[in-house]
Amino acid sequence: MTRKSPLSIAVFVSGTGSNLVSIYNEIQNGYLNAEIALVISNKSTAGGLMFAREKGITAIHISPNQYDDMSTYTEELLNLLKDHQVELVVLAGYLKMIPIAVVQMYKNKIINIHPALLPSFGGKGLYGKRVHQAVLDYGCKVSGATVHIVDEEYDTGGPVIQKCVPVLDDDTVETLASRVLEIEHQILPTAIQLFADGKISIQGRRVVTSRDEP
Ligand code: GRF
């Protein structure tokens, strides 16, 4: 049964926020049945925070570096998500680890976009341009993007959607990054809509979407 009320989402950003913009645009054009309840960043200067403020969306700078102990930070994060009735947490270019207590409270309700085909080229330290450099250095012929469930480690949760792009002989980090980013902007809103439509079920490591079921 497709939901009527928009899915309430929190979007976490650390950088430019181009994935946040693509989510916002898909909501505006009526494709995505969601509502951005708040945008959170660990960087006070993140482009995503400025974008949110321009659109009148609650934008909050909060970082573990502001707190003497992680438990206070974690409690603050949980309160923010609860106070805004967040149903799905979307990490969109967010570079900090989500505290385990938050991952547990929002089990299978936190997704991340990674600019490679996990499990290849993922894990701690592999983010942004470093990912594309590693793909080129390896000599891969395809790359792509992965939306995956966030669990207690970096980039290890089950994939929700993956999509490939070709790696061309004359690719640079920049040309590959922009080809992959285009795919990110497509599959992240699509993944959110699957949650909004209640089409996601988790079976062990497999994330099954209703359209996959017989
Ligand atoms: C993107 O490549 C994303 O995959 C990675 O962070 C980069 C910047 O994302 N997680 P954005 O432009 O800030 O959305």
Side-chain angles (χ1 to χ4, degrees), residues 15-20 92-95 112-115 128 132 181 184-185:
T16 50
S18 70
N19 277 286
L20 167 66
Y94 187 67
L95 298 179
N112 179 48
I113 177 87
H114 182 76
H132 307 299
L181 198 56
E184 294 177 41
H185 294 166

Side-chain angles (χ1 to χ4, degrees), residues 107-151:
K107 186 171 174 53
N108 296 327
K109 300 286 182 204
I110 308 178
I111 58 175
N112 179 48
I113 177 87
H114 182 76
L117 296 172
L118 293 174
S120 301
F121 306 108
K124 193 164 170 52
L126 271 171
Y127 56 86
K129 294 200 182 321
R130 295 179 178 189
V131 174
H132 307 299
Q133 187 61 65
V135 168
L136 292 174
D137 292 347
Y138 194 89
C140 294
K141 298 302 179 188
V142 290
S143 189
T146 302
V147 179
H148 65 92
I149 298 289
V150 172
D151 60 16

Side-chain angles (χ1 to χ4, degrees), residues 83-114:
D83 293 350
H84 289 80
Q85 289 94 36
V86 168
E87 297 170 277
L88 180 71
V89 175
V90 180
L91 309 186
Y94 187 67
L95 298 179
K96 284 282 182 195
M97 224 19 201
I98 297 292
I100 287 191
V102 178
V103 174
Q104 288 164 347
M105 181 65 76
Y106 287 84
K107 186 171 174 53
N108 296 327
K109 300 286 182 204
I110 308 178
I111 58 175
N112 179 48
I113 177 87
H114 182 76

Side-chain angles (χ1 to χ4, degrees), residues 129-176:
K129 294 200 182 321
R130 295 179 178 189
V131 174
H132 307 299
Q133 187 61 65
V135 168
L136 292 174
D137 292 347
Y138 194 89
C140 294
K141 298 302 179 188
V142 290
S143 189
T146 302
V147 179
H148 65 92
I149 298 289
V150 172
D151 60 16
E152 282 87 350
E153 324 256 328
Y154 267 112
D155 299 333
T156 52
V160 179
I161 297 181
Q162 294 188 292
K163 191 166 182 181
C164 296
V165 295
V167 179
L168 307 179
D169 292 343
D170 59 353
D171 262 329
T172 61
V173 167
E174 290 68 28
T175 56
L176 179 56

Side-chain angles (χ1 to χ4, degrees), residues 4-19:
K4 290 282 174 285
S5 60
L7 181 75
S8 173
I9 67 175
V11 183
F12 285 54
V13 299
S14 292
T16 50
S18 70
N19 277 286

